[in-house]
Every structure is written in structure tokens, then in C-alpha cells.
């Protein structure tokens, strides 16, 4: 009787063991990695994209600053050249307006000189000396008469107010008569010569 009871207990324990093993197997099945682990590469990629955009933005700002600096340098150089040219012109042509105002006075002086040449030789000599002094004073400031009589007509230095027909080929388009003298200061024309031109 006792032996049968032991056999019955052993059979129950053997039936229970498979159930326990099944529970162990079902409990040990993999659930899979956490959901957060799959988003880490995406977060890293977003950070890299954001950093790349920041670098591109900084590079664009740097390029713009460099371009602005180059433009400022070019503008400063142009301004410097302009100031230097104006300073040079002021030094070279500072008395230009005064010279222009003196030219009509010199014209009238020469007309007076011609009127007394035959009337009174002594007075003529005195006035001629003063005239030469005026011419020399003008030359000290690089103010000289423009050569015109017999020269080829130059529209930049001569102002044609009359024409005269000629049959001589070598005379054509040359200055036949100077009606009013022209003057220049250095290379700049103060007043063109008023002339008659052969045609």
C-alpha cells in the first residue's frame, strides 16, 4: 500500500516537470531590443545634418564678409587716387581761373601796342617791354600761346569762325589767319585760337 502511494506521487511529479519546463521556455523567449535603441542613428544623423547646415551658413557669412572687405578696399583705393589727382590738379592748375581772366586784358594790351607802334616809337618801346614781362610771367606758370598760323587745323586747339578758298593743296585745312590768340596751361587748353581756315 505504501509502495503504490509512492509510485503515484512520482508519476504526478513527472507530469508537473514538463509544465515547468514549458513555463521556463516561454519565460525565456526574446522580447527584442528596446524601442529607444532603434532611434539613436536617426538622432545622430539629424545632429550631423544640423551641424553641416551651421558650417555652410558660417562659410557663406565669411565669404560675404570677404567680398564686402574687397569692395571697401577697392572703393578706398579709387577715393585715394581721386584725391591725389585733385591735389595734383590743384597744384598744377590752381591759377587757371586767374589766367583766363587775364587773357582779355592781354588782348587789349596787345591792341593798344599795335595802335601806338607807328604813332610814337618811344612809347611803343616802353609798352613792348611791359608786354614781354607779362608774357614771361605767364610762362613761369606754364601758360603759353597756341601755335596756329600755318598749322593744320586742330579742333581741340583751334576755333574756326571763317573759311577761305585756296587752290594750293598744301594749304588746305590749314590756318590762314589768327583772329584771336589761343593759350594753354601745360597740356590743358585755356582758350582755343579763333582762326580762319583754308579750304
Amino acid at each position: 500500500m505504501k509502495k503504490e502511494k509512492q509510485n503515484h506521487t512520482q508519476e504526478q511529479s513527472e507530469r508537473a516537470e514538463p509544465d515547468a519546463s514549458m513555463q521556463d521556455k516561454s519565460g525565456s523567449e526574446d522580447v527584442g531590443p528596446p524601442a529607444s535603441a532603434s532611434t539613436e542613428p536617426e538622432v545622430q544623423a539629424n545632429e550631423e545634418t544640423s551641424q553641416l547646415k551651421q558650417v555652410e551658413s558660417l562659410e557663406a557669412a565669411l565669404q560675404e564678409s570677404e567680398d564686402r572687405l574687397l569692395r571697401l578696399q577697392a572703393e578706398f583705393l579709387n577715393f585715394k587716387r581721386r584725391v591725389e589727382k585733385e591735389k595734383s590738379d590743384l597744384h598744377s592748375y590752381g591759377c587757371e581761373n586767374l589766367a583766363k581772366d587775364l587773357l582779355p586784358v592781354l588782348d587789349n594790351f596787345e591792341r593798344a601796342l599795335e595802335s601806338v607802334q607807328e604813332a610814337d616809337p618811344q612809347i611803343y618801346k616802353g609798352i613792348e617791354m611791359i608786354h614781354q614781362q607779362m608774357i614771361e610771367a605767364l610762362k613761369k606758370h606754364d601758360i603759353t600761346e597756341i601755335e596756329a598760323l600755318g598749322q593744320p587745323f586742330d579742333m581741340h586747339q583751334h576755333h574756326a569762325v571763317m573759311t577761305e578758298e585756296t587752290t594750293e593743296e598744301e594749304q588746305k585745312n590749314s590756318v590762314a589767319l589768327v583772329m584771336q590768340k589761343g593759350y594753354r596751361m601745360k597740356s590743358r587748353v585755356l582758350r582755343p585760337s579763333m582762326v580762319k581756315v583754308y579750304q
Side-chain angles (χ1 to χ4, degrees):
M1 186 75 182
K2 187 185 265 188
K3 192 173 182 180
E4 289 178 1
K5 191 180 279 191
Q6 289 178 350
N7 290 336
H8 180 68
T9 305
Q10 187 176 358
E11 288 175 1
Q12 287 180 347
S13 63
E14 286 176 355
R15 286 195 209 99
E17 283 178 1
D19 294 339
S21 63
M22 291 294 290
Q23 290 179 356
D24 291 340
K25 286 181 180 179
S26 62
S28 61
E29 288 182 357
D30 293 337
V31 180
S36 60
S38 63
T39 60
E40 286 182 2
E42 296 180 2
V43 172
Q44 186 175 0
N46 291 336
E47 289 179 353
E48 290 178 354
T49 303
S50 177
Q51 290 175 356
L52 183 60
K53 287 182 178 179
Q54 289 179 355
V55 170
E56 291 176 350
S57 177
L58 290 172
E59 288 178 347
L62 178 61
Q63 184 63 43
E64 185 180 354
S65 297
E66 289 178 352
D67 293 343
R68 188 183 300 114
L69 178 61
L70 289 175
R71 286 195 299 270
L72 288 173
Q73 287 177 338
E75 289 175 2
F76 176 74
L77 288 175
N78 290 335
F79 171 76
K80 185 178 179 182
R81 291 192 195 100
R82 187 166 61 251
V83 169
E84 289 176 351
K85 185 179 184 304
E86 289 175 356
K87 184 178 179 181
S88 176
D89 289 347
L90 181 63
H91 181 267
S92 300
Y93 303 103
C95 61
E96 180 179 357
N97 291 333
L98 175 62
K100 287 180 178 180
D101 291 339
L102 285 176
L103 293 182
V105 178
L106 182 59
D107 292 338
N108 290 331
F109 193 90
E110 289 177 346
R111 291 189 189 98
L113 188 62
E114 291 174 1
S115 66
V116 298
Q117 184 173 4
E118 295 180 0
D120 195 328
Q122 294 298 323
I123 294 177
Y124 174 79
K125 277 187 179 182
I127 296 176
E128 174 62 20
M129 290 177 61
I130 297 171
H131 177 257
Q132 287 300 320
Q133 287 179 341
M134 291 180 66
I135 298 298
E136 292 301 321
L138 292 174
K139 284 181 179 179
K140 287 180 181 179
H141 295 279
D142 296 311
I143 301 170
T144 55
E145 181 183 344
I146 295 173
E147 294 184 12
L149 187 62
Q151 299 295 318
F153 175 75
D154 182 353
M155 63 179 297
H156 299 293
Q157 302 186 86
H158 306 143
H159 175 51
V161 293
M162 295 180 66
T163 59
E164 182 178 334
E165 296 293 333
T166 180
T167 57
E168 300 292 336
E169 286 296 324
E170 63 273 12
Q171 287 184 337
K172 287 186 177 181
N173 204 40
S174 64
V175 176
L177 176 68
V178 177
M179 306 177 69
Q180 185 184 62
K181 292 180 180 180
Y183 292 87
R184 68 163 61 89
M185 175 182 284
K186 295 186 184 338
S187 59
R188 183 178 296 180
V189 175
L190 295 176
R191 186 181 72 184
S193 302
M194 190 180 297
V195 298
K196 179 166 70 173
V197 181
Y198 283 122
Q199 281 190 338

